[in-house]
Amino acid sequence: MKQTTNSIVMIRPVAFRMNEQTAVNNYYQKVIDGLLPATVNAKAQEEFDTFVEKLRAVGIDVTVVDDTVEPSTPDSIFPNNWISFHENGDVALYPMFAENRREERREEILDLLEDKGFVIHNIVDYTSAEEDGFFLEGTGSLLLDRANSKAYCALSPRADEELFIEFCEDFDYAPVIFEAFQTVGGERKLIYHTNVMMCIGETFAVICTDCIDDKKERKMVLDNLKENNKEIILITEAQMNNFAGNMLEVLGANDKRYVIMSAAAHQCLTPKQIEQLEKHAEILSSSLDTIEACGGGSARCMMAEIFLPKK
């Protein structure tokens, strides 16, 4: 299986704002004082449009879908949490922690992709777990090493262990399970999504090992990455707080590799880390300051990769 794709789907926001329902365990979200909601949304749209332009300029196939005003879905800009697309034509739908994020799941997005020539054979729907209070938020919670059939998951209120194992059985992935923490007000608290502390590319992995407090778990995660010949690029917790873990490797024109991140993530990397990354892929970054502050997510969260076969 391929680890990287040229096709992604992105949702353009119409009413982006800080989501109070996700702020309870997403410690990256901040209130931007003195900005009207309309201003926040306009800034987010501007960042979104610039980002899409940059991606398309290097030959990345971006399907942009406009969000709808009703129902109110302040986090719709992060589609990778509710859906994932697989090479065998399967689509997975995921149970979401915040009630107002469940409204983001829109069937017409699948219709649109089929109109573009993508083939969907089967929908694997985990969303009924929401009724029992169990969640697994897509490729926010699951980090897929597709090429080596391994899935990495930092358990949290948004990543249930049993659901994760069920996903791995359904999609034939070997589970790599651990806990990752960040310091919030002097306390160690579980990180809400795996993809803020690590990223897996074809030949590299970016990871904040300082978050994995249990030494055995830390070694187990690193051993798994090394076993698949990934060059490991370590980031600090301070860099992770600037979204340096929230990257994604995508293919541009002529299968050229790009590692996509925000300007904040790019700026906090050291020259050595940049040199390490650039051995594997060219860095493409874009300013996402408003989206990161209000949404508590970054570049990777905004891109749902499409691995579906084409007609």
Side-chain angles (χ1 to χ4, degrees):
M1 282 201 290
K2 292 184 309 191
Q3 179 61 14
T4 44
T5 178
N6 171 251
S7 301
I8 56 176
V9 66
M10 294 176 68
I11 311 292
R12 188 173 191 270
V14 292
F16 177 78
R17 60 177 168 82
M18 176 165 162
N19 186 351
E20 62 294 336
Q21 292 186 12
T22 54
V24 294
N25 54 22
N26 177 344
Y27 308 111
Y28 294 89
Q29 286 174 254
K30 301 176 188 74
V31 176
I32 303 182
D33 290 326
L35 277 192
L36 292 167
T39 312
V40 169
N41 185 62
K43 282 179 171 287
Q45 285 180 331
E46 200 179 307
E47 289 172 2
F48 179 93
D49 292 341
T50 304
F51 186 28
V52 169
E53 258 173 57
K54 286 185 177 183
L55 295 171
R56 285 178 169 162
V58 298
I60 295 166
D61 171 31
V62 186
T63 300
V64 173
V65 181
D66 283 309
D67 192 19
T68 51
V69 177
E70 290 295 327
S72 170
T73 49
D75 279 330
S76 59
I77 199 167
F78 304 130
N80 80 311
N81 299 141
W82 66 266
I83 195 163
S84 65
F85 304 98
H86 302 267
E87 265 186 66
N88 61 356
D90 280 357
V91 172
L93 300 178
Y94 296 95
M96 311 281 279
F97 170 82
E99 284 181 30
N100 66 3
R101 292 211 62 190
R102 298 170 194 175
E103 306 276 9
E104 291 173 31
R105 299 188 290 252
R106 288 164 57 197
E107 217 166 285
E108 68 264 32
I109 293 173
L110 299 182
D111 298 338
L112 192 87
L113 293 177
E114 288 186 311
D115 290 344
K116 276 193 77 170
F118 290 104
V119 178
I120 296 170
H121 290 308
N122 187 29
I123 293 174
V124 185
D125 189 342
Y126 299 103
T127 60
S128 63
E130 287 165 351
E131 293 159 30
D132 302 315
F134 297 114
F135 314 104
L136 187 68
E137 296 195 332
T139 54
S141 300
L142 310 158
L143 233 67
L144 301 180
D145 183 349
R146 294 172 187 257
N148 296 295
S149 300
K150 277 184 191 172
Y152 293 76
C153 183
L155 301 178
S156 79
R158 304 202 201 178
D160 177 72
E161 184 167 5
E162 280 182 32
L163 261 183
F164 172 58
I165 289 168
E166 188 183 332
F167 166 88
C168 288
E169 285 171 356
D170 291 345
F171 283 86
D172 215 13
Y173 281 91
V176 181
I177 301 169
F178 56 100
E179 285 185 324
F181 298 86
Q182 66 191 121
T183 301
V184 182
E187 279 183 70
R188 294 297 270 170
K189 296 203 169 172
L190 288 168
I191 286 174
Y192 80 111
H193 277 162
T194 316
N195 75 3
V196 295
M197 54 79 63
M198 72 187 282
C199 150
I200 297 176
E202 187 98 40
T203 50
F204 68 92
V206 173
I207 182 168
C208 179
T209 49
D210 295 347
C211 298
I212 308 175
D213 291 354
D214 184 296
K215 286 194 177 110
K216 279 188 186 150
E217 286 188 356
R218 189 186 313 158
K219 182 178 184 306
M220 180 266 301
V221 171
L222 288 170
D223 285 349
N224 268 284
L225 293 167
K226 287 173 186 161
E227 195 183 292
N228 300 125
N229 301 317
K230 307 284 184 198
E231 180 180 356
I232 292 166
I233 300 164
L234 296 175
I235 56 170
T236 64
E237 197 168 324
Q239 288 175 318
M240 179 187 78
N241 291 337
N242 282 296
F243 294 100
N246 199 243
M247 305 174 178
L248 182 67
E249 188 180 28
V250 183
L251 300 176
N254 305 316
D255 284 350
K256 183 171 176 183
R257 296 180 179 283
Y258 291 90
V259 59
I260 316 294
M261 66 187 78
S262 71
H266 195 176
Q267 283 153 14
C268 77
L269 296 175
T270 64
K272 181 175 185 247
Q273 289 166 324
I274 288 172
E275 190 188 325
Q276 281 180 294
L277 268 173
E278 285 181 334
K279 282 192 295 191
H280 303 276
E282 187 175 314
I283 293 174
L284 189 157
S285 63
S286 197
S287 170
L288 302 171
D289 294 353
T290 310
I291 292 167
E292 288 177 329
C294 288
S298 187
R300 194 278 166 266
C301 305
M302 293 168 68
M303 300 179 281
E305 306 150 276
I306 307 169
F307 285 89
L308 297 168
K310 279 211 127 163
K311 275 182 193 143

